[in-house]
Amino acid sequence: MKNHLSMKLLVLFIAIVLWVHQIMLKTHTLEINIPMKLIETPQNLIPDSFRLPEVTVEISATGKDLFLFQISKKFFQIDTSHFRYGKNQIALKPDQLIYSDKIKLNINSINKTEDFFINMDKLVERTKPLKIQYSSTNEEEFFLKNKIKNANRKITLKGPLALLNEVEQIFTKKISSKMIVDGKLTVELISPDPKIDLFQDSIEFEITNTKIVHKTISLIPIKYPETENITIIPQKVSVMVSGPKEIMEKLNTNSIIANLNISNLKKDFANVSFEIPAGVKIIEYTPQKIQVIQNDQQ
């Protein structure tokens, strides 16, 4: 019984081998998508598309050669030395198809539209302002108190003109106080696009301790909705604040906004909330309560 089954399996195996052999020797026609490779591209140009279009080709070959062709490296080699900025039409020819000379095949047709082209962009250099990112609000406050020297730097980058025109600034990776070593901080830069090259991958800052000072800002006007038919007493408030000396020296009555919290009205009195610059803290303010008087309706 086992010998009978083994004989059947052997016959089946031989039949499959003969069938595959016939397929490999027989000529087939097939359409295949083939990528393009650009050579001799001028140094000041770059394709505006990250991925070049593929070319559909109809070929005829034996099954063996088709199989080898599909698994082998192949591409249309395009000489772009004559290309210019903008649209460049491509006229593909069979001899531009690069593949192993051990493979025998016939190229029946190259399927492409009449407006088959590659758009080239200018490769230019630009400088963009640096934007530092912080890992948290507390870390941002830390670096306001411990000043980063020369934080307002510009970064040189190179890439396609169309992409660079969209870039407003270059961001750092998020920084924290734990990254400071011997008064210096090194942080990596983030490229806005894979096709844009930064002239430097990281940047080093020096960190200096900033003196924290107190300052009193007097007579800040209290704001409230004009639609409210009310009178408030007093109409201005004084605030004591603290923060880095560099920031405090520029602080004035226009730097702080005082808002009346009429939604939290208690016994005709309301408190005040403040909008303050980053790095500044409110120590105290007077008066703590503002009297709110409802005006008579006319």
Side-chain angles (χ1 to χ4, degrees):
M1 186 71 178
K2 288 185 178 180
N3 291 337
H4 185 63
L5 179 60
S6 299
M7 185 61 69
K8 284 186 175 181
L9 291 175
L10 179 59
V11 171
L12 178 60
F13 174 74
I14 294 173
I16 292 173
V17 171
L18 291 174
W19 177 76
V20 171
H21 182 68
Q22 283 291 104
I23 294 294
M24 288 298 180
L25 293 179
K26 187 178 179 181
T27 299
H28 305 270
T29 299
L30 186 68
E31 284 192 347
I32 298 179
N33 292 328
I34 299 176
M36 292 191 297
K37 179 180 180 181
L38 307 185
I39 62 169
E40 303 297 332
T41 303
Q43 292 186 352
N44 65 329
L45 296 180
I46 188 173
D48 71 347
S49 176
F50 189 76
R51 184 175 181 180
L52 296 173
E54 291 188 333
V55 183
T56 302
V57 178
E58 183 185 279
I59 60 175
S60 295
T62 62
K64 181 193 71 171
D65 286 322
L66 278 179
F67 174 74
L68 293 174
F69 185 73
Q70 289 185 325
I71 65 172
S72 66
K73 187 176 181 181
K74 54 195 173 294
F75 53 86
F76 272 98
Q77 184 167 279
I78 313 297
D79 183 354
T80 59
S81 58
H82 62 286
F83 275 23
R84 298 291 181 266
Y85 171 65
K87 290 184 178 181
N88 295 269
Q89 192 165 354
I90 301 173
L92 292 175
K93 299 177 181 179
D95 59 2
Q96 292 174 284
L97 179 57
I98 307 300
Y99 59 96
S100 173
D101 55 7
K102 295 179 181 179
I103 300 172
K104 306 301 179 183
L105 56 81
N106 292 321
I107 300 175
N108 300 328
S109 65
I110 301 174
N111 301 327
K112 61 183 187 303
T113 58
E114 292 182 359
D115 59 348
F116 191 60
F117 61 85
I118 294 178
N119 197 49
M120 303 297 285
D121 200 353
K122 290 181 180 178
L123 201 59
V124 297
E125 292 182 14
R126 292 288 186 272
T127 57
K128 300 289 180 177
L130 180 67
K131 176 68 175 178
I132 299 174
Q133 297 189 103
Y134 304 93
S135 58
S136 68
T137 303
N138 290 336
E139 292 293 347
E140 184 175 3
E141 291 181 0
F142 172 87
F143 283 105
L144 284 169
K145 295 175 182 178
N146 299 272
K147 189 176 180 182
I148 301 175
K149 282 189 175 181
N150 300 323
N152 299 322
R153 300 191 198 180
K154 289 194 174 183
I155 304 299
T156 304
L157 50 157
K158 184 176 183 179
L161 177 62
L163 282 179
L164 294 187
N165 286 339
E166 296 177 359
V167 176
E168 295 182 359
Q169 50 196 357
I170 300 300
F171 290 92
T172 67
K173 288 191 175 181
K174 293 182 178 181
I175 66 171
S176 70
S177 54
K178 296 179 181 178
M179 299 168 62
I180 300 174
V181 178
D182 297 330
K184 295 183 179 180
L185 183 148
T186 301
V187 59
E188 293 182 31
L189 304 179
I190 302 173
S191 175
D193 190 277
K195 295 177 74 173
I196 293 177
D197 294 324
L198 303 181
F199 276 45
Q200 56 191 111
D201 298 324
S202 61
I203 194 166
E204 185 179 84
F205 296 107
E206 288 188 25
I207 310 299
T208 57
N209 292 328
T210 300
K211 185 178 180 182
I212 301 300
V213 298
H214 290 65
K215 186 175 184 178
T216 298
I217 309 294
S218 302
L219 303 177
I220 301 173
I222 301 172
K223 293 187 176 183
Y224 59 89
E226 296 181 359
T227 54
E228 297 290 335
N229 189 27
I230 60 174
T231 299
I232 63 172
I233 301 175
Q235 296 184 346
K236 296 182 179 180
V237 65
S238 296
V239 178
M240 178 181 285
V241 292
S242 70
K245 183 179 178 181
E246 293 81 1
I247 296 178
M248 303 299 285
E249 288 176 346
K250 300 176 183 178
L251 219 59
N252 55 43
T253 54
N254 297 321
S255 306
I256 299 175
I257 299 175
N259 296 304
L260 185 68
N261 293 330
I262 57 175
S263 60
N264 216 8
L265 195 63
K266 292 183 179 179
K267 295 183 179 180
D268 297 328
F269 283 88
N271 57 15
V272 178
S273 62
F274 297 91
E275 298 176 29
I276 57 177
V280 176
K281 289 186 177 180
I282 293 179
I283 305 300
E284 62 179 8
Y285 67 93
T286 56
Q288 295 283 323
K289 299 293 182 181
I290 307 298
Q291 185 178 4
V292 180
I293 303 172
Q294 298 290 338
N295 297 331
D296 294 333
Q297 299 290 337
Q298 296 183 353

